[in-house]
Amino acid sequence: MGMALSAAAPAMACYYTNPNDQTIGVLASEAELLTGPTADFRVELDRLPAPGGKPFLAVAPGDSPEKQTLAAEWTQLVEALAGRDAAEVSRLAEGYVAAREACFARALAMREAAEKGEGAEKGDAAATPALIAADAIPAGLPGEFDDYLRGVVAAANGDETAARAAWLGLLDRPANERRRRSVWAAFMLGKHPPDVDDAWAATWFGRVRSMVGDGADDPLGLGNSSYGWEAREALGRRDFARAISLYRLQQAGGDPTAVWSLRTAAGKALDSSDDAALGELAKNVEARDVVTAYLLARGGPLREAPKIERWTAWCSALETAGAGSAPGVDRLAWLAYGAGRMDLASRWAALAGDSPVALEVVAKLAMRDGRMDDAATAMEKAITAFGDKQRWSPVGLNDEPIDPADPARCDLALIRLSQERYSDALDLYLRCGHWADAAYLAERVLDADELQAHVDEAYPAPESFAAGLTMYPGDRGDSATRAQWIRHSLARRLSRRGRWAEARAYFPPEAQAVFDQFILDVRIGEDTGAPRADRAGHLMAAARAAVEQGPELFGVDEDYSWHTEGGHFWEFSAAHVRARAEKVCRLTPPSLDERERVAASERELPEPTWHYRYRASDLAWAAGLLMDDDDPALANLLGEAGDWLKHRDAPAADRFYKALVRRCPHTALGIEAKRARWFPKRK
């Protein structure tokens, strides 16, 4: 009989935005395992149908909007002044730019004063930036530039009425006298509406797009920007459907800021709408898709996740609007699952059929009922349905390739682990770049012979090798990366067990050369028929290789020396974490067989952290036994070997200190060691 679980809403965690957030995923509480994946808002927007309406291309931002604007104005003004005296052109252009810069400076000063609570709002005239004088506008400008600049100066001085009058006057000019400034004037009119006219902004921004659509010059992409400004005005009027539609058009034109604006619009729509308003919004297909994507993305990066009450309210609005019969119902099933509406999730997932997202929901629902075999079957179908659809995360910190099937792979890996299908779990963790989890399977669960047989069958040597792949690859990696990584892991495990002939074939070429030299040095050092000096030299060379290349030759992926992290530090291993799962996870706890395997592998692991330094110290000790007392080379060897251990394990280093004082009492290093009563600094 299945194990029924509570119907409370699952906890929320991030998967799609960074599948490697959970460095150790073999521990999963029921809440974590039952959590629905988090969407990437931008990816969800990109999969929606193209918005209705005409998109206008955005212009890539420059160093600053002010510099970009000034550069475009300078170019247009110089074109308009063609044929005039060069000195006159210089006077007018420089005077125009100076006036515009004064407008920018005053606007900045006004903002800073408002932020500090100074100036006009506090009645402090001294703190209010000075007005821009009328004579700042150079005499003799072409009419459209003179009108436009007068409007900008008036707006900067706070006289909105005079500003609108100047721009309207510009647009009253004959068409051939305003071709360079008509779009700009209409755009500014849209940005500066009178307080009593709600339709003003939409009218003028519509005029902007009409002009640009008819071929008017638009060097700043104001046609695209007009969508964003009009959307902002609609957002202020709580017309969320209109705002979302306009922001979608802005995004379609290539404006990267539109995604953030859509997040804001969707969040405000959810937070400030009552049930009736949400119901109306749910009837609008475009708004419905964006708000749903916003919830699936938990609001997006750097934002607080929406409250669960808004999830449930939105689900109810969608249900009332009959959204379950529309395209995208698989996303609605995903949404309902996240909201804890399991009845809706089941119904909508059934309507979505073989959609991979719907199959994931089906699997999660099966897990909630304790039907783990059914959950595994659904997860396998979801992974197959996703296919190999690698995509890029737009999150700015790390544009790692993200596969939407990775959450299903991680869930299925955990199920397979609890079902004692260890090789399957290993493959799944490798496929989605959960390297610590893969290391746990490779080092602690599969024995060396099982791992070797599986690697031989599933991970043949790649045709080319990545240089320096000695730690976590970082992202999911390709098939060659995965093969190289797991083969290198096996090589080190065989090497630690002394199975050197077998180990060699699994090392990548760069490590293979080091390994060959290490083995040669050890064998010559152990050859009693070779000269003692030669033996000592080769043993010390092997010791130095063990120190410098220890992680590559002997490092443990999963525990102690943590080869996967470069051997630089120790942290709790997946085995320790997995042991805790027995207490916190009823769905996929470690089986008795898994626990016995981990206990058995404990005996195989080298005991101390940075164990390869101890291996090196033993080789150095053997080399020292072949050397003469009071030999400066012996003193240097004992000092060097002591340095490898003295900061981490003073008792282990002590034998080298005592040997240095006892065997090399007349060397400079031995004398200094006796005086300092510890290892002196070596040159």
Side-chain angles (χ1 to χ4, degrees):
M1 180 178 293
M3 177 173 57
L5 301 177
S6 167
M12 297 177 187
C14 291
Y15 285 104
Y16 280 178
T17 51
N18 188 345
N20 291 315
D21 279 346
Q22 294 181 324
T23 303
I24 299 178
V26 295
L27 167 67
S29 67
E30 288 169 4
E32 291 168 326
L33 186 61
L34 295 175
T35 296
T38 297
D40 185 304
F41 186 63
R42 185 190 296 270
V43 171
E44 288 299 301
L45 292 179
D46 289 345
R47 60 168 293 276
L48 297 178
K54 178 180 175 61
F56 293 89
L57 292 179
V59 172
D63 294 337
S64 71
E66 293 81 7
K67 288 183 179 180
Q68 198 169 20
T69 300
L70 279 176
E73 292 191 84
W74 174 279
T75 299
Q76 287 189 332
L77 179 57
V78 170
E79 288 176 353
L81 294 173
R84 296 200 192 185
D85 178 74
E88 176 73 356
V89 171
S90 178
R91 179 186 70 83
L92 291 173
E94 291 174 3
Y96 186 98
V97 168
R100 289 293 277 122
E101 288 178 336
C103 293
F104 289 136
R106 177 172 165 80
L108 176 61
M110 291 290 286
R111 285 196 300 272
E112 291 176 345
E115 289 171 0
K116 295 177 182 178
E118 300 173 349
E121 294 188 8
K122 292 290 184 179
D124 183 3
T128 302
L131 296 176
I132 301 171
D135 60 7
I137 300 171
L141 286 170
E144 60 180 322
F145 286 89
D146 186 83
D147 290 342
Y148 180 76
L149 185 55
R150 290 186 185 281
V152 172
V153 169
N157 287 336
D159 191 345
E160 298 277 314
T161 301
R164 287 191 291 272
W167 293 322
L168 287 168
L170 188 161
L171 293 171
D172 281 340
R173 291 179 177 274
N176 64 335
E177 295 180 13
R178 56 178 174 83
R179 64 185 183 86
R180 291 186 176 86
R181 275 292 177 272
S182 293
V183 172
W184 297 58
F187 185 79
M188 295 299 284
L189 284 166
K191 287 180 62 175
H192 295 269
D195 295 336
V196 296
D197 192 343
D198 289 341
W200 177 281
T203 298
W204 284 106
F205 286 131
R207 286 276 300 275
V208 169
R209 295 190 289 272
S210 178
M211 292 176 186
V212 175
D214 288 340
D217 192 21
D218 186 21
L220 292 182
L222 299 180
N224 180 277
S225 296
S226 69
Y227 281 129
W229 280 94
E230 186 179 342
R232 179 183 181 186
E233 188 271 337
L235 203 58
R237 292 187 287 104
R238 296 167 56 88
D239 188 349
F240 300 116
R242 177 64 176 162
I244 287 171
S245 177
L246 290 165
Y247 281 135
R248 286 272 289 138
L249 284 164
Q250 185 185 24
Q251 183 205 11
D255 190 323
T257 67
V259 173
W260 292 93
S261 299
L262 282 164
R263 285 195 181 100
T264 299
K268 287 187 174 182
L270 282 170
D271 291 340
S272 57
S273 300
D274 55 25
D275 290 346
L278 280 180
E280 288 302 310
L281 198 64
K283 295 177 183 178
N284 183 291
V285 175
E286 193 165 39
R288 180 181 71 214
D289 289 342
V290 170
V291 172
T292 297
Y294 172 82
L295 285 169
L296 294 177
R298 322 295 193 218
L302 308 180
R303 288 176 180 259
E304 185 178 353
K307 294 180 173 59
I308 192 63
E309 293 82 6
R310 305 319 296 160
W311 283 68
T312 54
W314 184 241
C315 280
S316 297
L318 293 169
E319 184 180 22
T320 302
S325 61
V329 69
D330 57 343
R331 261 59 186 176
L332 303 188
W334 181 2
L335 177 78
Y337 183 84
R341 288 291 307 275
M342 303 307 162
D343 56 331
L344 273 181
S346 179
R347 190 196 321 161
W348 284 341
L351 291 172
D354 290 335
S355 157
V357 168
L359 287 166
E360 270 193 286
V361 173
V362 169
K364 295 286 185 179
L365 291 170
M367 279 193 276
R368 294 182 68 80
D369 293 336
R371 296 180 287 109
M372 303 307 289
D373 288 341
D374 292 343
T377 298
M379 284 294 182
E380 285 184 324
K381 289 181 179 178
I383 293 167
T384 300
F386 273 120
D388 192 12
K389 299 177 181 177
Q390 195 174 91
R391 59 192 179 183
W392 290 97
S393 166
V395 180
L397 296 179
N398 57 339
D399 287 343
E400 294 180 356
I402 292 176
D403 191 323
D406 280 351
R409 290 191 181 99
C410 289
D411 288 344
L412 182 58
L414 201 50
I415 295 172
R416 294 308 188 209
L417 177 57
S418 68
Q419 294 173 336
E420 301 178 6
R421 294 174 57 173
Y422 305 125
S423 295
D424 291 343
L426 170 64
D427 294 341
L428 287 161
Y429 279 134
L430 282 173
R431 183 66 178 79
C432 55
H434 277 237
W435 307 105
D437 300 317
Y440 169 69
L441 270 296
E443 296 276 12
R444 305 304 305 276
V445 181
L446 292 165
D447 69 31
D449 291 332
E450 288 173 327
L451 179 62
Q452 185 176 13
H454 184 61
V455 167
D456 287 343
E457 179 182 359
Y459 297 97
E463 294 182 0
S464 61
F465 291 80
L469 182 58
T470 58
M471 297 189 293
Y472 283 158
D475 59 20
R476 293 169 56 252
D478 56 16
S479 59
T481 299
R482 294 191 289 274
Q484 180 176 339
W485 189 86
I486 192 62
R487 289 176 67 86
H488 197 176
S489 178
L490 171 61
R492 293 188 301 274
R493 189 171 181 186
L494 295 173
S495 175
R496 291 195 303 273
R497 299 186 71 178
R499 294 164 60 175
W500 291 349
E502 295 172 80
R504 186 184 187 281
Y506 299 99
F507 278 109
E510 62 179 28
Q512 199 173 73
V514 175
F515 183 71
D516 288 344
Q517 185 61 50
F518 172 81
I519 300 303
L520 178 63
D521 286 332
V522 170
R523 287 175 174 165
I524 294 176
E526 293 177 345
D527 182 2
T528 57
R532 289 168 60 91
D534 288 350
R535 292 175 61 194
H538 282 283
L539 285 172
M540 194 57 189
R544 291 188 179 111
V547 168
E548 297 169 3
Q549 305 292 333
E552 289 74 20
L553 300 180
F554 319 110
V556 183
D557 275 324
E558 198 283 320
D559 214 332
Y560 300 98
S561 62
W562 275 78
H563 167 266
T564 45
E565 293 293 349
H568 296 154
F569 58 85
W570 182 91
E571 63 179 66
F572 286 116
S573 71
H576 294 128
V577 174
R578 180 64 175 157
R580 293 163 48 203
E582 190 175 359
K583 299 178 180 179
V584 300
C585 189
R586 292 180 293 160
L587 291 174
T588 55
S591 66
L592 176 61
D593 180 70
E594 181 185 343
R595 297 198 301 273
E596 289 177 344
R597 284 168 171 266
V598 171
S601 68
E602 190 82 23
R603 296 188 293 272
E604 180 185 325
L605 291 173
E607 178 67 21
T609 307
W610 283 12
H611 59 91
Y612 47 88
R613 289 180 179 248
Y614 294 86
R615 182 186 294 253
S617 71
D618 288 342
L619 290 167
W621 186 260
L625 294 177
L626 297 170
M627 300 175 71
D628 295 331
D629 291 351
D630 265 338
D631 184 344
L634 172 62
N636 192 63
L637 178 153
L638 294 170
E640 181 180 356
D643 286 347
W644 297 338
L645 299 173
K646 66 182 182 182
H647 297 298
R648 298 187 60 85
D649 190 345
D654 188 57
R655 66 167 170 163
F656 290 95
Y657 162 71
K658 290 177 178 177
L660 176 60
V661 172
R662 185 182 69 252
R663 295 188 59 193
C664 303
H666 301 106
T667 64
L669 203 62
I671 294 169
E672 181 62 21
K674 184 176 182 180
R675 186 193 65 78
R677 296 186 177 183
W678 196 236
F679 294 99
K681 289 185 178 180
R682 293 180 307 110
K683 293 183 180 179

